[in-house]
Amino acid sequence: IDRALEKPRSPSDLLDDARDMRARLERDKPASGVWDLKARIGGLQDIEFIAQSLQVVHADKDVVRGGTASAFSALVRTGIMSIEDARFLTETAHIYLGISQLIRSAHGTGFDPDGASSGFAQLLAGLGKVNSLRALQEELQGRSKRVRALFTRYLQPDAVHRDGN
């Protein structure tokens, strides 16, 4: 892994490749619906692309770490990402994962929010720090828009030299 990361390469080309790969996933394996928090635009895949792409582009700054939260911490420490962005992305990944795991455990892949019991709806809403499924859907929509905006911001070629502000 170290040898692969040490190979000289164009940061702009790496970011171009990451954006192209994400676009192919959106085209070839689109989200199955709004509750597909992994594949939806602004979902977990976008968060992972941000973390992993920036780790590779800035491997010379010792930002290669284990998980996504660790990667974001290292990106903040090296001035590549703002602490606010890192906190938001880490929190959003945690919320998305919790909701996804609960839905998958209870409903498999066929979750219908209209058919959810009130107890299940409250449990899901609580994971999103809101009080209803409707509010959760709005919260997730807002989060996904912000995640996509950060994806666009951090994966642009000029982001290679940005200092996280």
Side-chain angles (χ1 to χ4, degrees), residues 51-82:
Q52 293 169 13
S53 298
L54 293 178
Q55 283 178 297
V56 173
V57 167
H58 298 285
D60 62 325
K61 295 178 181 82
D62 193 30
V63 296
V64 179
R65 297 283 184 257
T68 302
S70 296
F72 289 140
S73 292
L75 291 164
V76 167
R77 182 179 42 76
T78 56
I80 295 163
M81 179 175 283
S82 73

Side-chain angles (χ1 to χ4, degrees), residues 69-138:
S70 296
F72 289 140
S73 292
L75 291 164
V76 167
R77 182 179 42 76
T78 56
I80 295 163
M81 179 175 283
S82 73
I83 193 165
E84 295 82 15
D85 291 347
R87 283 183 180 155
F88 172 78
L89 291 166
T90 300
E91 178 184 57
T92 299
H94 180 74
I95 289 169
Y96 284 177
L97 285 170
I99 291 169
S100 296
Q101 290 170 355
L102 185 59
I103 288 173
R104 193 170 35 251
S105 296
H107 292 273
T109 58
F111 177 61
D112 174 14
D114 294 330
S117 70
S118 62
F120 187 77
Q122 283 304 116
L123 188 58
L124 271 183
L127 289 173
K129 302 178 183 181
V130 295
N131 59 13
S132 70
L133 274 185
R134 170 178 251 167
L136 179 60
Q137 287 178 306
E138 291 172 8

